[in-house]
Amino acid sequence: MTRRTAVWTLSGALAVAASAAAQTPAPRVVKYHATIADVKYVYGVAPPVARLQPGDVLETNTLDCFGDVIRKPGDALSLVKGDNPLTGPFHVEGAEPGDTLVVKFLELQLDSDQGVGAFAPGFGALSTTFYTPMLNPPLPERVYFYPVDRARNVGTFQAQDSRFSVEIPLSPFIGCIGVAPPLGEARASVTPGEWGGNMDSPEASPGHTLYLPVNVAGALLYVGDGHAVQGDGEVAGTGLEIAMKVRLQVDLIKKKAIRWPRFETGEELMAVGAYRPLDDALRIAFTELIAWIKADYGLSELDAYELLSKVAHIRVSEMVDPNYVVIAKVAKKFLPPRKQ
């Protein structure tokens, strides 16, 4: 009798949950298609291409970091109109400075059967750059094409100085996602900072939620720079660059301000630092993670500092852009219960 009662109680609970889910309206879907004619090359205040309500799902597309113009052997980087063309901006109704924009990554689909990689004079972690001038000659320009098998989720690297080739498992993410910066600034699409931007972080992918500070009315969200896969550091300056279809859901946390971007999953907290030199980017990431733990989990700064010294992980997302990006991570299993 007790067992049957338990079964019927569970069945009733499931029926109630199913009924509630059926009564919950599906989120509104806003669709927008970007072309090379309407992309942007800065994060800043600009007329929005569409307006979103908190809770809306955005379905849009992004061009690759070269604007989809590098298509075949012989195509040179001189064809590129601008680096990292951005789709947007998207105005989020009700977003005001002092709020936090919430972006949930729902789905990313590769929008091409070919990706591109390249390095060029004056760019890359192992090259003479504007920030690290040297007397030796710069590296030459090289462009690599990567056939992509979307059904098998692999891309193929082909060496140019030998016959070696290898398949690379793909793990798509958005390289550029950010909002209009504070103080009325417009920042180049290749630059990461406290507004997000060109973070080149694999965490910008399904299963993760991104938090961004709102600096202007409407937040003005931009996305771009799809990567089929990328190694930590993006050392030569590009991931496997590819056009992408993007599905995101936006929301707002009113009257809660953060200073730098944050990522979260069900298992981890992740704080972003974007600056030069690399050690300052790391310091930003860890001080932000400590502040998050103190505010939401109740540990003191010094206790959190000591704990992170034992259990934290670090990703150097990229060290080739005008600012470097470090992500400091901690598993939630090492933290106290979240404060209510």
Side-chain angles (χ1 to χ4, degrees), residues 38 72 78 99 184 188 205 243 258 269 312:
D38 50 38
K72 63 186 186 302
S78 59
D99 297 339
S205 59
I258 58 175
L269 304 179

PDB file of all heavy atoms in Angstrom, residues 38 72 78 99 184 188 205 243 258 269 312:
ATOM      1  N   ASP A  38      26.095  45.023 -43.614  1.00  0.00           N
ATOM      2  CA  ASP A  38      25.581  45.642 -42.385  1.00  0.00           C
ATOM      3  C   ASP A  38      26.322  45.227 -41.124  1.00  0.00           C
ATOM      4  O   ASP A  38      25.865  45.526 -40.022  1.00  0.00           O
ATOM      5  CB  ASP A  38      24.078  45.364 -42.225  1.00  0.00           C
ATOM      6  CG  ASP A  38      23.725  43.894 -42.388  1.00  0.00           C
ATOM      7  OD1 ASP A  38      24.499  43.048 -41.930  1.00  0.00           O
ATOM      8  OD2 ASP A  38      22.661  43.621 -42.975  1.00  0.00           O
ATOM      9  N   LYS A  72      39.653  30.525 -51.416  1.00  0.00           N
ATOM     10  CA  LYS A  72      40.398  29.572 -52.238  1.00  0.00           C
ATOM     11  C   LYS A  72      41.878  29.909 -52.218  1.00  0.00           C
ATOM     12  O   LYS A  72      42.260  31.062 -51.889  1.00  0.00           O
ATOM     13  CB  LYS A  72      39.871  29.608 -53.677  1.00  0.00           C
ATOM     14  CG  LYS A  72      40.069  30.937 -54.374  1.00  0.00           C
ATOM     15  CD  LYS A  72      39.405  30.965 -55.729  1.00  0.00           C
ATOM     16  CE  LYS A  72      39.715  32.249 -56.495  1.00  0.00           C
ATOM     17  NZ  LYS A  72      39.293  33.459 -55.758  1.00  0.00           N
ATOM     18  N   SER A  78      44.791  40.778 -47.970  1.00  0.00           N
ATOM     19  CA  SER A  78      44.500  42.136 -48.458  1.00  0.00           C
ATOM     20  C   SER A  78      43.062  42.272 -48.941  1.00  0.00           C
ATOM     21  O   SER A  78      42.553  43.384 -49.089  1.00  0.00           O
ATOM     22  CB  SER A  78      45.463  42.507 -49.585  1.00  0.00           C
ATOM     23  OG  SER A  78      45.354  41.581 -50.662  1.00  0.00           O
ATOM     24  N   ASP A  99      22.966  47.229 -14.452  1.00  0.00           N
ATOM     25  CA  ASP A  99      22.369  45.898 -14.577  1.00  0.00           C
ATOM     26  C   ASP A  99      23.411  44.923 -15.111  1.00  0.00           C
ATOM     27  O   ASP A  99      24.502  45.310 -15.558  1.00  0.00           O
ATOM     28  CB  ASP A  99      21.182  45.911 -15.537  1.00  0.00           C
ATOM     29  CG  ASP A  99      20.035  46.788 -15.069  1.00  0.00           C
ATOM     30  OD1 ASP A  99      19.968  47.073 -13.857  1.00  0.00           O
ATOM     31  OD2 ASP A  99      19.213  47.191 -15.926  1.00  0.00           O
ATOM     32  N   GLY A 184      31.030  56.025 -23.324  1.00  0.00           N
ATOM     33  CA  GLY A 184      30.833  56.418 -24.709  1.00  0.00           C
ATOM     34  C   GLY A 184      31.908  55.954 -25.651  1.00  0.00           C
ATOM     35  O   GLY A 184      31.972  56.410 -26.806  1.00  0.00           O
ATOM     36  N   ALA A 188      37.649  48.605 -30.955  1.00  0.00           N
ATOM     37  CA  ALA A 188      37.797  47.770 -32.143  1.00  0.00           C
ATOM     38  C   ALA A 188      37.326  46.349 -31.884  1.00  0.00           C
ATOM     39  O   ALA A 188      37.478  45.814 -30.776  1.00  0.00           O
ATOM     40  CB  ALA A 188      39.258  47.766 -32.589  1.00  0.00           C
ATOM     41  N   SER A 205      29.944  28.969 -25.479  1.00  0.00           N
ATOM     42  CA  SER A 205      29.415  27.823 -26.206  1.00  0.00           C
ATOM     43  C   SER A 205      28.260  27.211 -25.417  1.00  0.00           C
ATOM     44  O   SER A 205      28.083  27.498 -24.228  1.00  0.00           O
ATOM     45  CB  SER A 205      30.524  26.787 -26.413  1.00  0.00           C
ATOM     46  OG  SER A 205      31.039  26.361 -25.157  1.00  0.00           O
ATOM     47  N   ALA A 243      32.104  30.689 -40.665  1.00  0.00           N
ATOM     48  CA  ALA A 243      30.780  31.295 -40.500  1.00  0.00           C
ATOM     49  C   ALA A 243      29.911  30.390 -39.628  1.00  0.00           C
ATOM     50  O   ALA A 243      30.099  29.174 -39.601  1.00  0.00           O
ATOM     51  CB  ALA A 243      30.127  31.502 -41.859  1.00  0.00           C
ATOM     52  N   ILE A 258      28.309  44.101 -12.326  1.00  0.00           N
ATOM     53  CA  ILE A 258      29.587  43.416 -12.301  1.00  0.00           C
ATOM     54  C   ILE A 258      30.568  44.253 -13.106  1.00  0.00           C
ATOM     55  O   ILE A 258      30.179  45.069 -13.936  1.00  0.00           O
ATOM     56  CB  ILE A 258      29.488  41.987 -12.874  1.00  0.00           C
ATOM     57  CG1 ILE A 258      28.956  41.998 -14.312  1.00  0.00           C
ATOM     58  CG2 ILE A 258      28.607  41.116 -11.978  1.00  0.00           C
ATOM     59  CD1 ILE A 258      28.959  40.626 -14.981  1.00  0.00           C
ATOM     60  N   LEU A 269      32.292  28.148 -11.707  1.00  0.00           N
ATOM     61  CA  LEU A 269      32.304  29.598 -11.841  1.00  0.00           C
ATOM     62  C   LEU A 269      33.575  29.982 -12.589  1.00  0.00           C
ATOM     63  O   LEU A 269      34.647  29.422 -12.338  1.00  0.00           O
ATOM     64  CB  LEU A 269      32.320  30.285 -10.473  1.00  0.00           C
ATOM     65  CG  LEU A 269      31.221  29.957  -9.471  1.00  0.00           C
ATOM     66  CD1 LEU A 269      31.455  30.744  -8.179  1.00  0.00           C
ATOM     67  CD2 LEU A 269      29.845  30.251 -10.044  1.00  0.00           C
ATOM     68  N   ALA A 312      41.913  26.050  -7.984  1.00  0.00           N
ATOM     69  CA  ALA A 312      41.532  26.806  -9.183  1.00  0.00           C
ATOM     70  C   ALA A 312      42.207  26.250 -10.431  1.00  0.00           C
ATOM     71  O   ALA A 312      43.259  25.603 -10.373  1.00  0.00           O
ATOM     72  CB  ALA A 312      41.890  28.274  -9.015  1.00  0.00           C
TER      73      ALA A 312
END
